[in-house]
Amino acid sequence: MIKVGIIGVGTVGTSVAQILKDNADVISARAGQDIEVKSGVVKNLNKDRGLDIVITDNVDDVLNDSEIDIVVELMGGVEEAFGVVKKALKSGKAVVTANKALLAYHRYELQDIAGTIAFEYEAAVAGGIPIITALRDGLSANHIESIVGIMNGTCNYMMTKMANEGVAYDDILQEAQDLGYAEADPSFDVGGFDAAHKLLILASIAYGIDAKPEDILIEGIQDVSSEDVAFAKEFGYVIKLLTIAKKDGSEVELRVHACLIKQDEMIAKIDGVMNAISVVGDKVGETLYYGPGAGGDATASAVVANIIDIARSGKSTPMLGFDKPMEGTLTLKPSAEIKSKYYLRINVSDKTGVLAKITKIFEIHNISVETMLQKSTSDISANLLISTHIAKESNIQDMISELEKLDFVNSKPVMIRIV
Ligand code: HSE
């Protein structure tokens, strides 16, 4: 019999306990032994969780309980959770977590502390989709060429509604929060940080890259307007928040930002709160994973899978997938060096000579225009909708800074990368 303690019995924790009970027959057969939740830790003892487990508000009741084999950390946050997980590992307990923020900052330290003790985190990336297992085990024969995903259901729901129903950004955020997918602080979703935490975890497994959120390009969807969504649609594109890891020689680029994607691309068709991840390996080719990236039962399904794995073997594979560093280690490409095609919307005064001056600035910054369209916004102003050929990120950023200073440019130009 394996005994589990859950730290943070909220939506996911309750589902973990419930699944272990509801599916005890198949779980016990697969694990080779029974698994039982002995106790759970909560902040508020007055709320009834409807579970027949011991509930406490003292984390040490679980950490110091010698009968508990596996600690499931679902409390969230970074430093407090780090302290709790370290303590659990140091007392020899296996750990399962769904905490992507914790891993985005402390995964390598945790790997060292865990050593041969099992430490699993399938639910930390894309909830119910078994992407960690796929990448770490199923694709371990491959050099990973790219990972491109929709890994934030809240943003994807919002972008889908904006595209399909023309709903404005502000009206839809509350709706997305009501669905229960959003982080406690929704700026983690719309600012791209939640997706970035997931990307950093995958980048470690795919490439052995030890980067922190501060090291990579992270933008959210806050600046995507209904206007841009409508223009994108008119030209056969959709706008999505994408999570991208791409190997380029000995460098890897890691980025999270809104993207224009051709409507007929597979990833463009992922709507609503669902997640999808495309992983390209040099031997396998493209593989695609789709499913619920959040929600109590979906996330708990991944947590329980980790518990079963630990009950079977008691030992983790190398936590981040590498038993020793790879020769010719890959390095992180500086964000300024990233290359992409770009969409720009520049609202200008509609006067003689403006276009010539704008295109001159493009030339100075070595940016080649692919297509251009002018749409009037009033008698005296117009939107210039421009797509570029492949350009360097630093050149685009410098050009935007120069453009926004011009007196005939009415507002900060909008830039969205095209993939
Ligand atoms: N807040 C996340 C999302 C779910 O909206 O996808 C958990 O990672």
Side-chain angles (χ1 to χ4, degrees):
M1 160 83 78
I2 290 281
K3 295 206 177 189
V4 174
I6 301 176
I7 300 182
V9 191
T11 310
V12 177
T14 305
S15 283
V16 167
Q18 202 58 51
I19 290 174
L20 284 167
K21 203 168 157 194
D22 291 350
N23 289 0
D25 52 353
V26 72
I27 289 171
S28 166
R30 289 192 172 130
Q33 57 188 318
D34 291 344
I35 300 173
E36 180 191 279
V37 178
K38 181 175 178 195
S39 53
V41 183
V42 297
K43 280 209 176 105
N44 177 5
L45 281 174
N46 296 324
K47 196 169 155 194
D48 180 25
R49 267 96 188 155
L51 299 171
D52 53 0
I53 61 171
V54 176
I55 292 283
T56 162
D57 59 1
N58 182 356
V59 81
D60 287 328
D61 290 345
V62 167
L63 297 179
N64 296 334
D65 184 338
S66 59
E67 279 192 357
I68 288 182
D69 308 288
I70 302 176
V71 170
V72 175
E73 184 274 308
L74 300 170
M75 60 193 286
V78 179
E79 295 311 324
E80 197 185 344
F82 187 38
V84 165
V85 165
K86 273 197 290 193
K87 205 165 166 189
L89 290 168
K90 283 181 177 159
S91 58
K93 297 186 192 309
V95 170
V96 176
T97 182
N99 188 338
K100 62 236 149 183
L102 166 68
L103 292 167
Y105 284 96
H106 293 301
R107 60 199 181 282
Y108 283 94
E109 290 150 276
L110 286 167
Q111 179 172 247
D112 287 345
I113 296 164
T116 56
I117 298 168
F119 184 110
E120 292 296 342
Y121 52 98
E122 182 61 73
V125 181
I129 306 176
I131 187 66
I132 303 290
T133 308
L135 200 53
R136 195 176 60 180
D137 301 334
L139 301 179
S140 59
N142 290 260
H143 289 107
I144 301 300
E145 290 177 351
S146 65
I147 303 170
V148 176
I150 290 175
M151 295 194 215
N152 185 272
T154 304
C155 288
N156 206 50
Y157 178 81
M158 292 174 69
M159 298 313 305
T160 306
K161 278 270 187 172
M162 281 170 80
N164 294 353
E165 296 171 31
V167 188
Y169 180 95
D170 290 337
D171 298 335
I172 205 103
L173 178 58
Q174 183 58 49
E175 206 179 296
Q177 282 178 268
D178 293 345
L179 282 176
Y181 266 52
E183 297 302 297
D185 174 355
S187 68
F188 271 71
D189 295 301
V190 295
F193 301 104
D194 172 78
H197 293 160
K198 296 165 182 167
L199 174 65
L200 290 166
I201 297 168
L202 297 186
S204 285
I205 302 170
Y207 305 108
I209 295 264
D210 179 7
K212 300 240 177 333
E214 302 67 61
D215 305 326
I216 67 168
L217 193 163
I218 307 173
E219 288 170 12
I221 58 165
Q222 306 98 317
D223 295 332
V224 177
S225 67
S226 309
E227 218 173 351
D228 296 307
V229 171
F231 286 141
K233 202 169 175 181
E234 194 178 327
F235 299 120
Y237 288 90
V238 292
I239 303 179
K240 301 270 185 202
L241 183 83
L242 285 193
T243 308
I244 301 172
K246 215 158 85 182
K247 186 167 166 293
D248 180 13
S250 62
E251 289 187 320
V252 175
E253 56 187 67
L254 300 178
R255 46 194 171 117
V256 175
H257 51 73
C259 289
L260 277 152
I261 315 167
K262 278 272 183 208
Q263 271 166 2
D264 52 7
E265 293 283 336
M266 215 137 48
I267 206 123
K269 299 184 195 339
I270 308 302
D271 279 342
V273 289
M274 298 307 270
N275 283 195
I277 308 160
S278 152
V279 182
V280 178
D282 61 346
K283 299 299 174 192
V284 70
E286 183 173 18
T287 60
L288 188 68
Y289 309 85
Y290 171 82
D297 279 358
T299 307
S301 157
V303 170
V304 173
N306 282 161
I307 295 172
I308 295 170
D309 243 14
I310 294 169
R312 277 173 177 155
S313 65
K315 185 188 174 303
S316 177
T317 47
M319 181 195 144
L320 295 168
F322 286 89
D323 237 346
K324 64 182 180 70
M326 197 170 45
E327 272 176 43
T329 305
L330 297 164
T331 54
L332 185 65
K333 183 189 274 193
S335 299
E337 299 296 318
I338 287 169
K339 289 193 176 128
S340 174
K341 290 175 134 195
Y342 295 82
Y343 155 91
L344 294 153
R345 176 165 57 83
I346 311 169
N347 193 268
V348 293
S349 304
D350 196 355
K351 290 189 299 203
T352 309
V354 163
L355 195 53
K357 286 179 188 136
I358 298 260
T359 51
K360 185 74 200 158
I361 292 170
F362 272 66
E363 187 194 346
I364 291 167
H365 291 278
N366 200 23
I367 291 159
S368 167
V369 170
E370 185 173 68
T371 62
M372 190 165 74
L373 182 73
Q374 176 167 325
K375 289 202 174 212
S376 290
T377 47
S378 74
D379 289 346
I380 51 163
S381 65
N383 270 326
L384 297 177
L385 306 173
I386 298 174
S387 72
T388 73
H389 288 289
I390 298 264
K392 203 164 106 177
E393 180 75 19
S394 55
N395 290 350
I396 287 282
Q397 296 292 358
D398 291 348
M399 184 183 72
I400 291 173
S401 306
E402 190 170 338
L403 285 172
E404 71 181 316
K405 286 187 205 129
L406 299 172
D407 56 2
F408 54 80
V409 172
N410 298 327
S411 52
K412 185 175 160 68
V414 170
M415 177 271 278
I416 304 176
R417 297 169 192 85
I418 304 173
V419 295

